[in-house]
Amino acid sequence: QKAIQINPNHPRVYYNLGLAFKEMGEYQKAISYYEKAIKIKPDYFIAYNNLGIVFYELREFQKAISCHEQTIQINPNFVNGHFGLGNVLEELSENEKAKSCYERAIQINPNFANGHFGLGNVFEELGEYQKAIGCYKKAIQIQPNHVDAYNNLALAFKGQGEYQKAI
């Protein structure tokens, strides 16, 4: 707050306040600060991305999509923009679109564990368990402590009827 008094036109200050309020679960305040950061710096793609995450948490999916699309428009190589858009589309059961987003994230950064994880989720939802297993294994290879990838790997094995491997 002191930084705003010193320089009320510094977008990073508003962005950081948005982050803090997001982490505290005070989403309306987070939205307000992210929007202030964007008003000062209209190409602030990271602020758009985090605003999209907040809207996702609030289940305001169309607003989340708009924010992530804006993120990608400003910076097409920002991995988290594609990942965030993929998450929203997956939540809306738009699996083919989500798949494309996750694949683009992986194309940008092949070592992005969450991209492989998200792609695995889509394959699992489509009943393509072998592909899902490959994605989850890749996520675990990149990030060995990826708990959700281990959990979903077991579910994919279960989906194939390979109960022993699921354990």
Side-chain angles (χ1 to χ4, degrees):
Q1 298 288 352
K2 181 71 173 171
I4 291 173
Q5 292 172 5
I6 296 168
N7 184 355
N9 292 316
H10 196 299
R12 181 81 180 173
V13 173
Y14 294 102
Y15 171 79
N16 286 334
L17 284 167
L19 278 178
F21 283 113
K22 176 180 156 283
E23 291 304 314
M24 292 189 300
E26 295 187 40
Y27 294 133
Q28 294 307 320
K29 287 182 181 178
I31 290 168
S32 175
Y33 283 111
Y34 287 139
E35 288 176 341
K36 286 176 184 176
I38 291 165
K39 185 175 181 181
I40 296 167
K41 185 178 179 191
D43 64 346
Y44 207 163
F45 65 91
I46 297 173
Y48 274 110
N49 191 68
N50 281 11
L51 187 56
I53 293 168
V54 170
F55 283 130
Y56 175 85
E57 292 294 326
L58 292 172
R59 305 191 65 74
E60 294 184 37
F61 297 127
Q62 293 310 313
K63 289 181 181 179
I65 287 170
S66 177
C67 289
H68 289 302
E69 286 176 342
Q70 187 66 30
T71 300
I72 293 165
Q73 182 178 339
I74 295 167
N75 186 345
N77 292 319
F78 185 61
V79 171
N80 286 316
H82 296 280
F83 178 71
L85 182 57
N87 286 339
V88 179
L89 294 169
E90 182 184 343
E91 185 71 26
L92 295 172
S93 298
E94 294 186 34
N95 291 322
E96 289 303 319
K97 290 180 182 178
K99 182 177 164 231
S100 294
C101 292
Y102 295 137
E103 287 172 338
R104 179 67 181 128
I106 293 166
Q107 180 184 19
I108 294 166
N109 181 357
N111 291 316
F112 183 55
N114 280 334
H116 293 281
F117 174 74
L119 186 57
N121 291 343
V122 170
F123 283 132
E124 187 173 349
E125 288 172 24
L126 295 172
E128 297 182 40
Y129 297 112
Q130 202 56 44
K131 289 181 180 177
I133 288 167
C135 291
Y136 296 139
K137 285 182 175 181
K138 182 67 176 177
I140 291 165
Q141 176 189 349
I142 295 165
Q143 188 179 327
N145 61 349
H146 200 304
V147 174
D148 291 329
Y150 280 106
N151 182 64
N152 288 14
L153 177 62
L155 294 173
F157 278 128
K158 179 181 172 246
Q160 285 194 149
E162 296 184 61
Y163 300 104
Q164 201 58 38
K165 287 184 179 179
I167 298 171

